[in-house]
Amino acid sequence: MSLRGEVCVVTGAGGFLGKTLMRLLLEEERVAEIRLLDKEVKPQLLQTLEDCRGDTKLTVFEGDIRDGEFLRRSCRGASLVFHIASIIDVTNSVEDSEMYGVNVTGTQLLLEACLQENVDTLIYTSTIEVMGPNSKGDPIINGTEETVYECTLKFAYSKSKKEAEERTLQAHNEELPNGRRMATCALRPMYIYGEGCRFLLGHMGDGIRNKNVLYRMSRPDALVNPVYVGNVAVGHLQAARSLKDPQKRNVVGGKFYFVSDDTPHISYSDFNHAVMAPLGFSIQQKVIVPLPLFYLFCVLMEIVCMILQPFVRVVPPLSRQLLTMLNTTFSFSYQGAKRDLGYAPRYTWQEARKRTTEWLASQLPQEREKIGAK
C-alpha cells in the first residue's frame, strides 16, 4: 500500500527519530505534504531534507503540543499522523506534571484534534519501558505481544507513555465527522541508537572524562536488544501502509507491536563499547561498585532527597529502578510486526554499527573540546 498523496503530520519532527522518519518518507513515498510539528524546528533541518524533497511540500508548525487549537490547525486537512513527540526521562529529573502534560495530555489533545479534523490514521511511538522491567528484575527473553509480565511501573516516564499508548489504542475505530472511522496502532521500539542519539553522546562524554574508559553500569549477562533508528523508521512506515490498507486496517488497528532488529543481544554497557571501541575507548571489566552496595547507595540517596524535598528538589544521579533496568535481561522479538505489518529490518547490525560509529567519530573532536580533554 502506497502513501502517495497523503498529507502527513510528524510530531517531534526535529528529534532523533522524527528526522530519520521524514527522510524515509521523502525518499520512498511521494506524499503530498509533510507537516513538521515541534516546539522548535531549526532551519537547518529543512536544508538537510532539500536533496530528497522532490515535489513534497514541507510545512513547519511550531508550538506547544498541549495547545489544542494549535494541534487542530496542524491537523486540518491532514490524513496521517506519526506521533513521536514526548519527554524522555529515566532519571526523574523532569517534574511529573510536566511529563504528564506533554506525554499524556498532549497525546489526548492530539487524538481529539484528529477526530475533529477527520484525520483517519495515527501511529503512536511508544517504548519498551511500558513493559518494565519490574522492581524484582524478572527477565524476559524474546518476548512477544502475547507475553504476560507483572509490573508496577516506577518511572513517571514509563507510566505516562503507558497511559498515552492506552488512550491511543482506545481511539481506534472512533467515528469521524465525515462518517469514516479512525485507525490507530502503537509501536514499542527497544532502546533506539544511531546517528543523533544523545544518550550515546552522554556515555562518550563520560568515557572521555574517565580517560577513554567507558563506565560499566550493566552486568555482561544482562542482555537487551537495542534497535537501530533507521529500522524503527521503517517500522513506522510499514505501520502506516498497513493502516491505510483496507484489508489490513482492522487486523493491525488498535494493537501494539514491538520493533527490534538483528542487533545482537548485549548488555547496555557492552553495547556502548561495541560502537565506541573503534574510536579508542575501552571499558571497565566489572560494575564499578558491587550491585548490592549500588542498590544501598541508591536507597540512601533517595532518603536524602526525600528529606530535602520540602526545601529543594534534588535529583539523585542514579535510582534503584534505573539500576534494575540496566541489569535486567529484557529482549523482545519483531516477529509480530513482521507477520502483521510486513516489517523487516532494512539495516544489518554491521551497517547500523558502522553508521553509528562514524557519527560518533564526527562528534568526538567537539566533545573532547567541550570537556577540555586531549
Side-chain angles (χ1 to χ4, degrees), residues 343-371:
Y343 163 75
R346 180 170 304 175
Y347 301 93
T348 65
W349 159 237
Q350 290 75 18
E351 185 175 1
R353 178 172 56 180
K354 181 175 181 291
R355 286 170 173 244
T356 303
T357 300
E358 287 175 350
W359 173 73
L360 287 168
S362 73
Q363 302 299 307
L364 187 55
Q366 62 192 62
E367 287 298 310
R368 289 196 184 281
E369 184 178 354
K370 188 188 307 181
I371 293 166

Short mmCIF file of all heavy atoms in Angstrom, two decimals, residues 343-371:
data_model
loop_
_atom_site.label_atom_id
_atom_site.label_comp_id
_atom_site.label_asym_id
_atom_site.label_seq_id
_atom_site.Cartn_x
_atom_site.Cartn_y
_atom_site.Cartn_z
N TYR A 343 6.88 -5.91 8.39
CA TYR A 343 8.14 -5.27 8.77
C TYR A 343 9.31 -6.23 8.69
O TYR A 343 9.20 -7.40 9.08
CB TYR A 343 8.04 -4.72 10.20
CG TYR A 343 9.38 -4.39 10.83
CD1 TYR A 343 10.08 -3.25 10.45
CD2 TYR A 343 9.94 -5.23 11.79
CE1 TYR A 343 11.31 -2.96 11.02
CE2 TYR A 343 11.17 -4.94 12.36
CZ TYR A 343 11.86 -3.80 11.98
OH TYR A 343 13.07 -3.52 12.54
N ALA A 344 10.43 -5.75 8.19
CA ALA A 344 11.69 -6.49 8.23
C ALA A 344 12.79 -5.45 8.38
O ALA A 344 12.75 -4.39 7.74
CB ALA A 344 11.90 -7.30 6.96
N PRO A 345 13.79 -5.70 9.23
CA PRO A 345 14.89 -4.74 9.38
C PRO A 345 15.58 -4.50 8.04
O PRO A 345 15.88 -5.44 7.31
CB PRO A 345 15.84 -5.43 10.36
CG PRO A 345 15.00 -6.45 11.07
CD PRO A 345 13.98 -6.89 10.08
N ARG A 346 15.81 -3.25 7.71
CA ARG A 346 16.47 -2.90 6.46
C ARG A 346 17.98 -2.81 6.63
O ARG A 346 18.74 -3.10 5.71
CB ARG A 346 15.94 -1.57 5.94
CG ARG A 346 16.57 -1.12 4.64
CD ARG A 346 15.85 0.07 4.07
NE ARG A 346 14.43 -0.23 3.88
CZ ARG A 346 13.54 0.67 3.48
NH1 ARG A 346 13.93 1.91 3.24
NH2 ARG A 346 12.28 0.34 3.34
N TYR A 347 18.41 -2.41 7.81
CA TYR A 347 19.83 -2.22 8.07
C TYR A 347 20.35 -3.35 8.94
O TYR A 347 19.80 -3.66 9.98
CB TYR A 347 20.07 -0.88 8.78
CG TYR A 347 19.57 0.30 7.99
CD1 TYR A 347 18.28 0.80 8.19
CD2 TYR A 347 20.36 0.90 7.01
CE1 TYR A 347 17.81 1.88 7.46
CE2 TYR A 347 19.90 1.98 6.27
CZ TYR A 347 18.62 2.46 6.51
OH TYR A 347 18.14 3.53 5.78
N THR A 348 21.42 -3.99 8.50
CA THR A 348 22.05 -5.05 9.27
C THR A 348 22.76 -4.45 10.48
O THR A 348 23.01 -3.23 10.55
CB THR A 348 23.08 -5.81 8.43
OG1 THR A 348 24.15 -4.90 8.09
CG2 THR A 348 22.45 -6.38 7.16
N TRP A 349 23.11 -5.30 11.42
CA TRP A 349 23.88 -4.85 12.58
C TRP A 349 25.20 -4.24 12.14
O TRP A 349 25.62 -3.19 12.63
CB TRP A 349 24.10 -6.02 13.52
CG TRP A 349 25.25 -5.88 14.49
CD1 TRP A 349 26.31 -6.72 14.63
CD2 TRP A 349 25.42 -4.85 15.48
NE1 TRP A 349 27.15 -6.27 15.63
CE2 TRP A 349 26.64 -5.12 16.16
CE3 TRP A 349 24.70 -3.71 15.83
CZ2 TRP A 349 27.13 -4.31 17.19
CZ3 TRP A 349 25.19 -2.90 16.86
CH2 TRP A 349 26.38 -3.20 17.52
N GLN A 350 25.86 -4.85 11.16
CA GLN A 350 27.15 -4.35 10.71
C GLN A 350 27.02 -2.94 10.14
O GLN A 350 27.83 -2.05 10.43
CB GLN A 350 27.75 -5.30 9.66
CG GLN A 350 28.22 -6.63 10.20
CD GLN A 350 27.06 -7.60 10.51
OE1 GLN A 350 25.92 -7.40 10.02
NE2 GLN A 350 27.33 -8.62 11.29
N GLU A 351 25.98 -2.73 9.32
CA GLU A 351 25.80 -1.39 8.73
C GLU A 351 25.37 -0.38 9.78
O GLU A 351 25.86 0.76 9.79
CB GLU A 351 24.76 -1.46 7.61
CG GLU A 351 24.61 -0.14 6.87
CD GLU A 351 23.68 -0.22 5.69
OE1 GLU A 351 23.12 -1.31 5.43
OE2 GLU A 351 23.52 0.81 5.01
N ALA A 352 24.47 -0.78 10.67
CA ALA A 352 24.00 0.12 11.72
C ALA A 352 25.14 0.54 12.64
O ALA A 352 25.28 1.72 13.00
CB ALA A 352 22.89 -0.55 12.52
N ARG A 353 25.98 -0.43 13.02
CA ARG A 353 27.11 -0.11 13.89
C ARG A 353 28.09 0.83 13.17
O ARG A 353 28.59 1.79 13.76
CB ARG A 353 27.82 -1.40 14.31
CG ARG A 353 29.05 -1.14 15.19
CD ARG A 353 29.62 -2.42 15.75
NE ARG A 353 29.95 -3.39 14.73
CZ ARG A 353 30.47 -4.59 14.98
NH1 ARG A 353 30.69 -4.97 16.23
NH2 ARG A 353 30.75 -5.42 14.00
N LYS A 354 28.36 0.56 11.90
CA LYS A 354 29.29 1.40 11.13
C LYS A 354 28.78 2.83 11.06
O LYS A 354 29.54 3.79 11.30
CB LYS A 354 29.46 0.83 9.73
CG LYS A 354 30.41 1.60 8.82
CD LYS A 354 30.58 0.86 7.49
CE LYS A 354 31.56 1.59 6.56
NZ LYS A 354 31.00 2.87 6.08
N ARG A 355 27.51 3.01 10.76
CA ARG A 355 26.93 4.35 10.65
C ARG A 355 26.99 5.07 12.00
O ARG A 355 27.30 6.27 12.06
CB ARG A 355 25.47 4.26 10.18
CG ARG A 355 25.31 3.91 8.70
CD ARG A 355 23.85 3.60 8.39
NE ARG A 355 23.65 3.42 6.96
CZ ARG A 355 22.89 4.22 6.20
NH1 ARG A 355 22.26 5.24 6.74
NH2 ARG A 355 22.74 3.98 4.91
N THR A 356 26.66 4.34 13.06
CA THR A 356 26.65 4.94 14.40
C THR A 356 28.06 5.34 14.82
O THR A 356 28.27 6.44 15.34
CB THR A 356 26.06 3.94 15.41
OG1 THR A 356 24.74 3.56 14.99
CG2 THR A 356 25.98 4.57 16.80
N THR A 357 29.03 4.46 14.59
CA THR A 357 30.42 4.76 14.97
C THR A 357 30.96 5.93 14.17
O THR A 357 31.66 6.81 14.71
CB THR A 357 31.29 3.51 14.76
OG1 THR A 357 30.80 2.45 15.58
CG2 THR A 357 32.74 3.80 15.14
N GLU A 358 30.63 6.00 12.88
CA GLU A 358 31.10 7.12 12.06
C GLU A 358 30.51 8.44 12.56
O GLU A 358 31.20 9.47 12.57
CB GLU A 358 30.73 6.87 10.60
CG GLU A 358 31.57 5.80 9.93
CD GLU A 358 31.12 5.49 8.51
OE1 GLU A 358 30.02 5.98 8.11
OE2 GLU A 358 31.85 4.77 7.79
N TRP A 359 29.25 8.41 12.97
CA TRP A 359 28.64 9.63 13.51
C TRP A 359 29.31 10.04 14.82
O TRP A 359 29.63 11.21 15.03
CB TRP A 359 27.14 9.42 13.72
CG TRP A 359 26.52 10.59 14.42
CD1 TRP A 359 26.26 11.83 13.91
CD2 TRP A 359 26.13 10.64 15.79
NE1 TRP A 359 25.71 12.64 14.89
CE2 TRP A 359 25.62 11.94 16.04
CE3 TRP A 359 26.15 9.72 16.84
CZ2 TRP A 359 25.14 12.34 17.29
CZ3 TRP A 359 25.67 10.10 18.08
CH2 TRP A 359 25.18 11.40 18.30
N LEU A 360 29.54 9.06 15.69
CA LEU A 360 30.23 9.36 16.96
C LEU A 360 31.62 9.92 16.70
O LEU A 360 32.07 10.85 17.38
CB LEU A 360 30.31 8.10 17.82
CG LEU A 360 28.99 7.65 18.47
CD1 LEU A 360 29.13 6.25 19.05
CD2 LEU A 360 28.56 8.65 19.55
N ALA A 361 32.31 9.37 15.69
CA ALA A 361 33.64 9.87 15.34
C ALA A 361 33.58 11.34 14.92
O ALA A 361 34.47 12.13 15.24
CB ALA A 361 34.24 9.02 14.23
N SER A 362 32.51 11.70 14.20
CA SER A 362 32.37 13.09 13.76
C SER A 362 32.09 14.04 14.93
O SER A 362 32.38 15.24 14.85
CB SER A 362 31.23 13.20 12.73
OG SER A 362 29.95 13.06 13.36
N GLN A 363 31.54 13.49 16.02
CA GLN A 363 31.23 14.31 17.19
C GLN A 363 32.37 14.35 18.21
O GLN A 363 32.39 15.20 19.10
CB GLN A 363 29.98 13.75 17.89
CG GLN A 363 28.75 13.67 17.02
CD GLN A 363 28.31 15.02 16.51
OE1 GLN A 363 28.11 15.96 17.28
NE2 GLN A 363 28.17 15.14 15.19
N LEU A 364 33.31 13.42 18.07
CA LEU A 364 34.35 13.25 19.08
C LEU A 364 35.21 14.50 19.30
O LEU A 364 35.45 14.89 20.46
CB LEU A 364 35.22 12.04 18.72
CG LEU A 364 36.28 11.60 19.74
CD1 LEU A 364 35.66 11.33 21.10
CD2 LEU A 364 37.03 10.37 19.23
N PRO A 365 35.70 15.18 18.24
CA PRO A 365 36.55 16.36 18.48
C PRO A 365 35.86 17.43 19.31
O PRO A 365 36.46 17.99 20.24
CB PRO A 365 36.88 16.85 17.06
CG PRO A 365 36.72 15.63 16.20
CD PRO A 365 35.60 14.86 16.80
N GLN A 366 34.62 17.74 18.98
CA GLN A 366 33.94 18.80 19.73
C GLN A 366 33.59 18.37 21.14
O GLN A 366 33.56 19.18 22.07
CB GLN A 366 32.70 19.28 18.99
CG GLN A 366 31.61 18.23 18.77
CD GLN A 366 30.57 18.71 17.78
OE1 GLN A 366 30.87 18.97 16.63
NE2 GLN A 366 29.34 18.83 18.23
N GLU A 367 33.35 17.05 21.35
CA GLU A 367 33.09 16.57 22.71
C GLU A 367 34.37 16.68 23.54
O GLU A 367 34.31 17.07 24.71
CB GLU A 367 32.62 15.11 22.67
CG GLU A 367 31.20 14.95 22.15
CD GLU A 367 30.17 15.64 23.01
OE1 GLU A 367 30.18 15.44 24.24
OE2 GLU A 367 29.35 16.41 22.45
N ARG A 368 35.51 16.36 22.95
CA ARG A 368 36.77 16.49 23.67
C ARG A 368 37.05 17.96 23.99
O ARG A 368 37.51 18.30 25.08
CB ARG A 368 37.91 15.91 22.85
CG ARG A 368 37.89 14.39 22.73
CD ARG A 368 39.23 13.86 22.25
NE ARG A 368 39.21 12.43 22.05
CZ ARG A 368 39.31 11.52 23.02
NH1 ARG A 368 39.41 11.94 24.28
NH2 ARG A 368 39.30 10.24 22.75
N GLU A 369 36.77 18.82 23.03
CA GLU A 369 36.99 20.26 23.25
C GLU A 369 36.07 20.79 24.35
O GLU A 369 36.49 21.58 25.20
CB GLU A 369 36.75 21.02 21.94
CG GLU A 369 37.03 22.50 22.05
CD GLU A 369 36.83 23.21 20.72
OE1 GLU A 369 36.58 22.53 19.70
OE2 GLU A 369 36.90 24.46 20.71
N LYS A 370 34.83 20.33 24.34
CA LYS A 370 33.87 20.78 25.35
C LYS A 370 34.32 20.38 26.75
O LYS A 370 34.16 21.12 27.72
CB LYS A 370 32.51 20.14 25.03
CG LYS A 370 31.36 20.66 25.88
CD LYS A 370 30.10 19.84 25.65
CE LYS A 370 29.73 19.73 24.18
NZ LYS A 370 28.47 18.93 24.01
N ILE A 371 34.88 19.16 26.84
CA ILE A 371 35.29 18.64 28.14
C ILE A 371 36.69 19.14 28.52
O ILE A 371 37.09 19.12 29.67
CB ILE A 371 35.23 17.10 28.11
CG1 ILE A 371 33.76 16.65 27.99
CG2 ILE A 371 35.85 16.46 29.34
CD1 ILE A 371 33.58 15.22 27.62
#
